[in-house]
């Protein structure tokens, strides 16, 4: 899904989270905090990274992943991963 | 009155201080401290010896090294608890029938005291306990834990994911897994929040969770109790085996299962603690008057 807009990425993340964690889609906004608001834990994080890995085709760096606080951070991460995936495949 | 350990600690330790003449009590206290310390020495010394002699040798020759080591460790734990029972330190007992030995299950227990792990494992065969990383990487017991099938809970995300895979694998091999979902010893008279790992393991392996309700009265070897703050009488650790809980009932959703089982534990533990308190209050009416 290279070239996806931020809205498309958010929509994808939202769908994944709804499916994985049984969360109401309305609860998932860009400024939603994943731990405090959605009550996600480390097991969820692992599931989420597996999912993101499938989307971006790239391994998510644990150090980067640790800094994730909000849904916005996830969208940013996917966006940058997609961008660098696109860059490395076109070169 | 001089400030002592019982006052430093917000939660009182069961003490004979007001029942015995002071010199007698102090001498008794000193004796108890020596006995408690001896149990520690036996445990760590024994674990170290086993881990560097019998177990590695056994691991080389046994057909199933993990289970062979587990059997030796189980016998050692039984000896350890026999020692503590004879010295009137801790008397650990299953108050319900032992669960039937067949079939893999995840045992889930509240963490009432430091030695509940050994008490449980001394009675139940073929149990792999998920342990904190500090123990798994400890110089003294790390080796023993690794050889006898303990599972390192890990600290990072990837390590934790791996530890769950190992647990699911062990269940597939027909072994049982023991988890303390609080991740550490319980605070006095209550419980920390349950983490989800134990239930996630049960959901993935599609095996039942069997609750072990523990109670230690008077409390001993709790996380906030030092070695010299142990009770003046034998601590009774009772282990009650609950009905198996099928993850299918919760649609194999570990979060739902966790919430339900945690509520079940919480109801039991708090009502039991309240009962203990009332009995203790009734037993020492003159405490407030002095």
């Amino acid at each position: 899904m290279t070239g996806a807009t931020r809205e498309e990425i958010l929509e994808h993340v939202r769908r994944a989270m709804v499916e994985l964690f049984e969360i109401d889609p309305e609860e998932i906004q860009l400024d939603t905090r994943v731990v405090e608001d959605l009550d996600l834990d480390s097991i969820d994080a692992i599931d989420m990274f597996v999912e993101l890995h499938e989307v971006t085709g790239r391994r998510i760096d644990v150090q980067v992943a640790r800094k994730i606080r909000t849904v916005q951070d996830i969208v940013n991460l996917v966006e940058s991963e997609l961008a660098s995936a696109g860059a490395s495949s076109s070169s | 009155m001089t400030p002592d350990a019982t006052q430093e600690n917000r939660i009182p330790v069961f003490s004979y201080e007001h029942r015995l003449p002071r010199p007698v009590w102090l001498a008794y206290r000193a004796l108890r401290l020596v006995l408690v310390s001896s149990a520690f020495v036996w445990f760590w010394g024994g674990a170290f010896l086993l881990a560097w002699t019998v177990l590695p040798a056994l691991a080389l020759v046994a057909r199933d090294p993990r289970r062979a080591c587990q059997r030796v460790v189980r016998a050692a734990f039984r000896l350890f608890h026999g020692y503590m029972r004879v010295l009137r330190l801790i008397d650990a007992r299953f108050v319900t029938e032992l669960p039937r030995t067949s079939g893999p299950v995840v045992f889930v227990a509240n963490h009432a005291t430091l030695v509940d792990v050994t008490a449980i494992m001394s009675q139940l065969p073929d149990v792999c306990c998920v342990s904190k990383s500090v123990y798994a990487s400890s110089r003294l017991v790390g080796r023993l834990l690794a050889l006898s099938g303990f599972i390192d809970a890990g600290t990072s995300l990837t390590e934790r994911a791996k530890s769950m895979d190992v647990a699911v694998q062990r269940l597939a091999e027909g072994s049982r897994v023991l988890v303390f979902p609080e991740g550490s010893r319980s605070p006095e008279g209550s419980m920390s929040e349950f983490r989800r790992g134990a239930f996630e393991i049960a959901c993935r392996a599609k095996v039942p969770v069997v609750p072990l309700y523990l109670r230690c009265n008077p409390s001993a070897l709790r996380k906030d109790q030092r070695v010299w703050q142990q009770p003046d009488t034998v601590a009774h650790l009772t282990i009650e085996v609950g009905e198996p809980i099928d993850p299918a009932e919760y649609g194999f959703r570990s979060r739902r299962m966790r919430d339900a089982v945690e509520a079940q534990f919480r109801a039991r533990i708090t009502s039991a603690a309240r009962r203990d308190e009332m009995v203790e209050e009734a037993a020492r009416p003159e405490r407030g008057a002095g």
Side-chain angles (χ1 to χ4, degrees):
Chain A
M1 52 188 278
T2 21
T5 63
R6 287 181 65 79
E7 284 68 41
E8 282 168 346
I9 295 172
L10 174 62
E11 200 40 55
H12 189 93
V13 168
R14 188 177 278 148
R15 216 169 332 119
M17 290 178 96
V18 166
E19 198 176 304
L20 284 170
F21 313 131
E22 298 188 300
I23 304 172
D24 192 356
E26 266 116 72
E27 278 187 71
I28 306 165
Q29 303 301 332
L30 279 176
D31 59 350
T32 309
R33 294 167 301 174
V34 286
V35 175
E36 293 88 343
D37 300 334
L38 299 179
D39 193 28
L40 299 191
D41 58 23
S42 58
I43 297 170
D44 295 322
I46 293 160
D47 290 343
M48 193 70 213
F49 293 146
V50 170
E51 170 67 24
L52 294 184
H53 174 70
E54 274 164 24
V55 175
T56 62
R58 286 167 66 89
R59 253 195 129 74
I60 309 296
D61 181 15
V62 178
Q63 294 306 321
V64 178
R66 195 170 290 165
K67 297 203 185 83
I68 289 177
R69 296 285 175 271
T70 63
V71 173
Q72 171 107 51
D73 295 337
I74 299 176
V75 172
N76 289 346
L77 177 69
V78 173
E79 197 178 32
S80 70
E81 290 292 330
L82 285 176
S84 46
S88 61
S89 64
S90 62
S91 65
Chain B
M1 237 173 84
T2 51
D4 59 14
T6 58
Q7 281 174 317
E8 257 171 47
N9 204 337
R10 207 168 48 80
I11 304 141
V13 173
F14 183 90
S15 166
Y16 283 160
E17 189 180 358
H18 299 277
R19 299 189 196 177
L20 295 173
R22 196 155 180 87
V24 178
W25 176 68
L26 286 174
Y28 179 71
R29 230 22 249 127
L31 173 67
R32 295 285 297 183
L33 181 58
V34 169
L35 297 182
V36 171
S37 311
S38 78
F40 271 91
V41 171
W42 269 112
F43 179 81
W44 292 98
F48 183 78
L49 272 181
L50 276 182
W52 289 93
T53 56
V54 180
L55 297 184
L58 200 59
L60 279 179
V61 296
R63 201 175 304 149
D64 189 341
R66 168 170 66 80
R67 287 194 171 96
C69 290
Q70 274 176 331
R71 273 193 290 274
V72 172
V73 168
R74 186 153 71 94
F77 285 168
R78 257 204 308 267
L79 203 65
F80 175 58
H81 276 274
Y83 179 78
M84 293 197 294
R85 183 173 301 136
V86 167
L87 295 186
R88 310 283 294 153
L89 297 176
I90 286 205
D91 186 358
R93 281 176 204 285
F94 275 80
V95 289
T96 42
E97 245 179 83
L98 291 182
R100 279 158 205 78
T101 48
S102 64
V105 295
V106 176
F107 292 113
V108 160
N110 57 306
H111 209 339
T113 163
L114 182 61
V115 291
D116 50 10
V117 191
T118 51
I120 294 167
M121 296 188 73
S122 70
Q123 297 297 320
L124 301 179
D126 202 0
V127 171
C128 303
C129 179
V130 176
S131 75
K132 264 190 185 178
S133 256
V134 276
Y135 294 117
S137 53
S138 139
R139 260 171 224 278
L140 275 171
V141 290
R143 220 180 138 76
L144 177 127
L145 300 191
L147 284 167
S148 55
F150 281 73
I151 301 162
D152 182 354
T155 46
S156 70
L157 269 186
T158 37
E159 281 171 2
R160 284 192 197 159
K162 195 183 153 231
S163 77
M164 290 202 300
D165 292 343
V166 173
V168 171
Q169 174 61 31
R170 295 281 168 77
L171 290 163
E173 292 166 10
S175 296
R176 287 90 64 76
V177 169
L178 167 64
V179 185
F180 295 89
E182 292 166 87
S184 191
R185 275 173 279 167
S186 317
E188 169 73 13
S190 75
M191 255 174 39
S192 311
E193 275 177 18
F194 275 14
R195 299 179 191 185
R196 202 151 57 91
F199 308 96
E200 182 69 19
I201 291 166
C203 287
R204 283 197 210 165
K206 296 191 165 52
V207 301
V209 162
V210 175
L212 301 176
Y213 304 104
L214 309 188
R215 196 143 84 91
C216 187
N217 185 37
S219 57
L221 294 171
R222 225 176 38 229
K223 198 169 184 77
D224 55 358
Q225 283 179 314
R226 304 284 133 229
V227 179
W228 59 89
Q229 294 174 324
Q230 300 309 313
D232 277 348
T233 185
V234 62
H236 292 278
L237 172 66
T238 54
I239 305 165
E240 197 182 334
V241 184
E243 289 296 316
I245 305 158
D246 187 351
E249 280 175 43
Y250 301 94
F252 298 99
R253 291 288 182 167
S254 57
R255 189 169 261 119
R256 287 185 203 161
M257 191 179 193
R258 188 262 320 263
D259 293 347
V261 176
E262 181 176 349
Q264 211 166 307
F265 264 89
R266 217 164 266 289
R268 284 226 187 195
I269 302 304
T270 47
S271 74
R274 207 166 302 135
R275 206 158 49 231
D276 288 346
E277 250 168 52
M278 280 159 60
V279 170
E280 258 167 59
E281 284 301 314
R284 44 175 182 195
E286 74 283 276
R287 194 92 201 247

